[in-house]
Amino acid sequence: FIENRLRDWCGSAFSSIFDYEINKNYIITKDKNNNDVIQPIDYSNTGTVQQNSVWSGLHQFLQIKHGLRLTEENLNSCFLSNLIFFKLYKNIYGFTGTLGSIKTQEAIKEIYNIELIEIPTFKRSQFKRLNNYNYNEKKIFELSLLREVESIVIKNNRAVLLIFEYISDAEEFFKKYSNLFKTINLYIRNDIEEEKEFLNKPIEPRTVIISTNLAGRGTDIKISEKLEKNGGLHVILTFMPANKRIEEQAFGRAARKGEKGSGQIIMFSNDSYENILKLQNLEEEDNFNYLIYYYKE
């Protein structure tokens, strides 16, 4: 067993030091017994804190890193792919609002031998996509981002949802600039009820919401009639999403049910937006080839 796991343990040891950062890949919080525990964050897709998930091996090295109580490693005896499980059934029906890129749709068609049709929304979309901006200096990026938020919120009397990649980035922006806005919400933890309170009623003009992908997937942000008349919610992604599906889900927080809304990407990167987009498309191509190779009969 040790011979089989030794390479993975060595990799986990290095990853715990060099690759995994607190408030980016995971948080430290309290369990029901008031013990400090590590909980992973699915930052690249949903932004949620995965309260019941444990990294095998890596979890233990992160516990050592932070001086926490060491838990036993989970020993899974078998693994079952979702696709293999679904293919045990003759017929499965369902659909999603965001299937992502053309390549993702082609993979679904190939694997399940089905056709896809696009069902239009019951009200015409009024979403407006604004220009994307990419800055290679952190200070200029922050100032440009702040200027855009102030313009949308104060000058145009609207509301903004800022989506950061990591919890630490969202917290940093909130601490620096929260005093500039009258109504501001920090939504970075799905396990804290107080952070969700703003979702219970329609948001008004001049509201700023600072979040991660936690707010970018399935979150129903209601807007007031006054805000809708002013142009609705504006969504700003501050990083390049891992794929087209995540981008569509994030922008889908605005202009819901035929309302007005808009969105754009304003990010900090040493590479150009065009090159990053090419890399994203290449990764989509690799994922497509992987799925077809392993799962198509």
Side-chain angles (χ1 to χ4, degrees):
F1 174 76
I2 291 174
E3 288 177 354
N4 290 333
R5 293 289 292 144
L6 189 58
R7 181 180 293 273
D8 291 334
W9 285 339
C10 291
S12 294
F14 279 98
S15 291
S16 68
I17 298 171
F18 300 110
D19 299 330
Y20 283 70
E21 298 182 38
I22 190 169
N23 289 337
K24 286 188 177 180
N25 308 95
Y26 62 93
I27 61 170
I28 296 177
T29 187
K30 298 286 185 181
D31 65 8
K32 60 182 179 182
N33 297 319
N34 205 37
N35 295 317
D36 287 331
V37 294
I38 287 171
Q39 292 183 340
I41 301 172
D42 180 24
Y43 71 89
S44 63
N45 289 292
T46 64
T48 59
V49 176
Q50 299 175 310
Q51 301 177 55
N52 299 316
S53 296
V54 175
W55 289 308
S56 184
L58 175 61
H59 223 89
Q60 284 69 29
F61 282 105
L62 290 173
Q63 290 167 340
I64 294 171
K65 176 181 176 179
H66 292 285
L68 306 183
R69 181 173 60 91
L70 198 62
T71 59
E72 295 179 349
E73 183 178 8
N74 287 342
L75 304 179
N76 295 320
S77 60
C78 63
F79 297 88
L80 182 65
S81 161
N82 286 342
L83 283 173
I84 293 174
F85 177 75
F86 292 149
K87 291 176 77 171
L88 294 174
Y89 295 86
K90 184 178 179 180
N91 295 305
I92 295 179
Y93 301 93
F95 66 90
T96 176
T98 48
L99 282 175
S101 67
I102 298 298
K103 277 295 180 183
T104 303
Q105 296 178 33
E106 288 177 358
I108 292 172
K109 292 166 68 174
E110 289 275 348
I111 292 168
Y112 293 109
N113 192 27
I114 60 172
E115 289 297 324
L116 302 177
I117 62 169
E118 183 175 339
I119 302 174
T121 56
F122 77 104
K123 288 186 178 180
R124 184 178 179 181
S125 174
Q126 297 193 68
F127 181 81
K128 293 182 179 180
R129 180 71 183 261
L130 305 187
N131 292 333
N132 298 321
Y133 298 99
N134 181 28
Y135 301 95
N136 56 17
E137 290 187 30
K138 183 72 177 291
K139 190 172 183 180
I140 295 176
F141 158 72
E142 281 194 5
L143 291 175
S144 300
L145 182 61
L146 181 62
R147 191 182 303 116
E148 187 70 20
V149 173
E150 287 180 326
S151 175
I152 294 290
V153 172
I154 298 174
K155 184 178 178 181
N156 296 320
N157 207 27
R158 293 176 60 189
V160 168
L161 168 62
L162 269 172
I163 300 180
F164 289 89
E165 188 170 15
Y166 303 115
I167 284 179
S168 55
D169 294 334
E171 286 182 324
E172 181 184 352
F173 192 89
F174 180 81
K175 289 175 182 177
K176 281 185 177 180
Y177 305 115
S178 60
N179 62 325
L180 300 178
F181 304 99
K182 184 177 180 180
T183 304
I184 189 165
N185 299 279
L186 183 64
Y187 182 44
I188 55 176
R189 295 276 297 275
N190 57 297
D191 57 335
I192 298 178
E193 290 298 324
E194 289 79 5
E195 292 194 7
K196 305 177 186 178
E197 288 183 357
F198 75 95
L199 296 173
N200 295 330
K201 58 183 179 180
I203 61 172
E204 298 291 338
R206 300 202 173 190
T207 297
V208 177
I209 303 167
I210 298 176
S211 187
T212 60
N213 270 331
L214 178 61
R217 177 175 173 139
T219 304
D220 187 14
I221 301 175
K222 306 174 185 67
I223 66 173
S224 68
E225 291 184 7
K226 186 175 181 180
L227 177 55
E228 205 277 331
K229 289 179 181 178
N230 293 347
L233 180 67
H234 181 67
V235 178
I236 299 178
L237 269 168
T238 65
F239 63 96
M240 177 64 84
N243 52 56
K244 192 69 176 177
R245 174 180 55 82
I246 296 172
E247 179 181 313
E248 290 176 354
Q249 287 174 337
F251 288 144
R253 300 314 98 203
R256 297 170 68 81
K257 303 174 184 177
E259 298 169 335
K260 296 176 183 176
S262 55
Q264 63 184 145
I265 295 176
I266 302 177
M267 64 181 184
F268 164 63
S269 175
N270 291 322
D271 206 347
S272 68
Y273 174 83
E274 290 74 19
N275 284 340
I276 296 172
L277 189 60
K278 287 179 182 177
L279 290 174
Q280 186 189 79
N281 291 333
L282 286 173
E283 188 171 340
E284 287 274 344
E285 183 78 27
D286 289 341
N287 290 336
F288 170 80
N289 293 331
Y290 171 83
L291 290 171
I292 297 301
Y293 180 80
Y294 282 101
Y295 296 112
K296 186 182 178 184
E297 291 181 344

